[in-house]
């Protein structure tokens, strides 16, 4: 069985033929739906702004959310603190 399928994705008033993994179809369609929701909200709120600028604003909003999610899931500060505490404990127990 082929794991890839061809779909026609409707987004921002256009159709995009895509080949995607079968298990990602729901997520791909939901992503397009989210783009349309944001586009429509910006179009309604900023009626005198060009479509290109609205698309840029939507792209910026998604990029900002993506970066916030990456920072939220950054475990490096915790790992650094654990390493620091481990060194303190090792030094303490060596001195006993």
């Amino acid at each position: 069985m082929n794991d890839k399928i061809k779909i026609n994705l409707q987004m921002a008033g256009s159709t995009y033929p895509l080949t995607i993994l079968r298990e990602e179809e729901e997520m791909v369609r939901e992503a397009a739906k989210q783009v349309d929701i944001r586009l429509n909200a910006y179009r309604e709120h900023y009626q005198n702004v060009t479509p290109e600028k609205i698309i840029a604003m939507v792209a910026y909003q998604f990029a900002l959310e993506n970066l916030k999610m990456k920072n939220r899931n950054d475990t490096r500060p915790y790992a650094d603190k654990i390493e620091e505490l481990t060194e303190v404990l090792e030094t303490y127990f060596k001195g006993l």
Side-chain angles (χ1 to χ4, degrees), residues 37-95:
I37 289 170
R38 300 244 175 121
L39 279 172
N40 291 334
Y42 274 103
R43 284 178 183 147
E44 187 176 312
H45 194 265
Y46 300 102
Q47 295 177 2
N48 296 326
V49 176
T50 65
E52 292 82 11
K53 288 184 179 182
I54 288 176
I55 289 171
M57 290 164 42
V58 170
Y60 167 77
Q61 186 177 9
F62 278 116
L64 183 61
E65 288 175 7
N66 184 39
L67 289 171
K68 285 180 180 179
M69 291 297 289
K70 283 183 181 180
N71 288 338
R72 197 174 105 184
N73 292 328
D74 182 13
T75 59
R76 187 73 238 159
Y78 300 107
D80 291 343
K81 192 63 172 175
I82 290 170
E83 288 175 22
E84 179 185 332
L85 292 172
T86 300
E87 289 175 16
V88 169
L89 288 172
E90 286 174 350
T91 302
Y92 174 77
F93 286 118
K94 285 179 183 176

Side-chain angles (χ1 to χ4, degrees), residues 2-7 18-26 29:
N2 192 352
D3 289 346
K4 293 187 177 183
I5 59 171
K6 292 183 180 191
I7 64 169
L18 297 176
T19 301
I20 61 169
L21 293 174
R22 183 178 304 277
E23 64 267 12
E24 292 181 353
E25 181 180 7
E26 185 177 340
R29 292 191 187 278

